Amino acid sequence: MVARRCLVTGAGRGIGAAVARRLAAQGHAVALTARSAGELDAVAAGLPGPALVVPADLTDPIAADAVVGAVERAWGGPVEVLVLNAGAGTSAPLARTTDEDWARMLDLNLTAPFRLLRRALPGMVEGGWGRVVAVASTAAKRGDPYVAAYTASKHGLLGLVRSAAAEVAGSGVTVNAVCPGYVDTPMTAATVATISTATGRTPEQARETLARRQPIGRLVDPDEVADAVLLCVGSAAITGQGINVDGGTVQS
């Protein structure tokens, strides 16, 4: 396998950290970005190969150029594998979703990936090879109550993936999304805490409620999401797809 220059966003924990470890285990050089420099340093220290830590707030309009440029300068070539994992969620009834909630979801979950993709894609096309994988959500494919802003941002992310994939088809570059359900990550832990506070259930009961929403009866492991990301990285024939990793919740 040819070693590639990779960039993983939201790489300090959860799915992003799992993907970074898997890419490094396959011999790739992995750059890590997120706001949390300490978490990134801890992940990088455990990687077996070349690692680069580039802390950034990806909602800053100049962050995409700064982060991708740092990788190019450090490793002497374009980003070849871009994993767009950074994201966040919020929950509120639609009528109580504020402009700030709406803007925050779009900025981090949709606009930041767009800017990174726009910055990295030309180098991939010029080189005749590239892989982009966005971590979306089952919320990209269905609507659930109380998550309108999050759902809109993830639907938009999947649309971005599909359009970009069509645009670069035939260039050697693929663009895909993976769509996890409830994954055993800090983001889900925050959801558990919100449910517990709102309903009076214990955290264990709230966690079990989420697990039962998936036909497999448990939360998805971050490494299981990383499996799907690595599938997209390894295949030249998969593009424009939103691959569900949700224990059978959404059948498509």
Side-chain angles (χ1 to χ4, degrees):
M1 179 178 293
V2 176
R4 302 290 184 177
R5 292 176 292 271
C6 307
L7 172 61
V8 182
T9 75
R13 53 187 176 174
I15 294 169
V19 170
R21 287 190 290 266
R22 295 287 292 280
L23 289 169
Q26 289 194 350
H28 302 301
V30 184
L32 315 169
T33 189
R35 287 178 296 181
S36 49
E39 290 181 341
L40 295 177
D41 287 337
V43 174
L47 300 184
L52 179 67
V53 170
V54 190
D57 178 356
L58 295 178
T59 62
D60 187 328
I62 68 171
D65 185 57
V67 171
V68 175
V71 177
E72 293 170 341
R73 290 189 297 273
W75 288 336
V79 171
E80 297 168 290
V81 176
L82 175 61
V83 181
L84 300 164
N85 169 70
T90 189
S91 176
L94 180 60
R96 294 208 300 270
T97 299
T98 66
D99 285 358
E100 290 75 19
D101 292 335
W102 181 263
R104 183 167 61 91
M105 290 297 95
L106 293 183
D107 284 350
L108 181 56
N109 295 343
L110 181 56
T111 303
F114 159 71
R115 289 176 177 144
L116 284 159
L117 180 57
R118 179 178 61 184
R119 175 61 174 80
L121 201 58
M124 295 180 182
V125 172
E126 183 179 353
W129 195 95
R131 301 287 184 265
V132 180
V133 187
V135 178
S137 167
T138 53
K141 296 188 173 183
R142 57 183 283 174
D144 286 320
Y146 310 122
V147 285
Y150 177 75
T151 299
S153 70
K154 292 299 186 177
H155 270 67
L157 181 59
L158 184 55
L160 173 65
V161 162
R162 288 169 168 166
S163 184
E167 187 169 319
V168 300
S171 70
V173 179
T174 67
V175 187
N176 290 288
V178 296
C179 300
Y182 290 104
V183 186
D184 192 4
T185 64
M187 183 172 169
T188 297
T191 302
V192 166
T194 298
I195 293 171
S196 180
T197 299
T199 66
R201 301 173 189 168
T202 66
E204 292 74 18
Q205 291 170 330
R207 181 183 172 92
E208 181 61 25
T209 297
L210 296 183
R212 287 200 306 269
R213 291 185 184 180
Q214 303 183 142
I216 59 173
R218 62 171 176 82
L219 301 181
V220 176
D221 187 87
D223 275 314
E224 294 173 314
V225 183
D227 287 338
V229 173
L230 270 290
L231 174 66
C232 294
V233 172
S235 176
I238 301 174
T239 194
Q241 302 305 308
I243 299 173
N244 301 335
V245 189
D246 62 356
T249 303
V250 178
Q251 297 183 349
S252 64

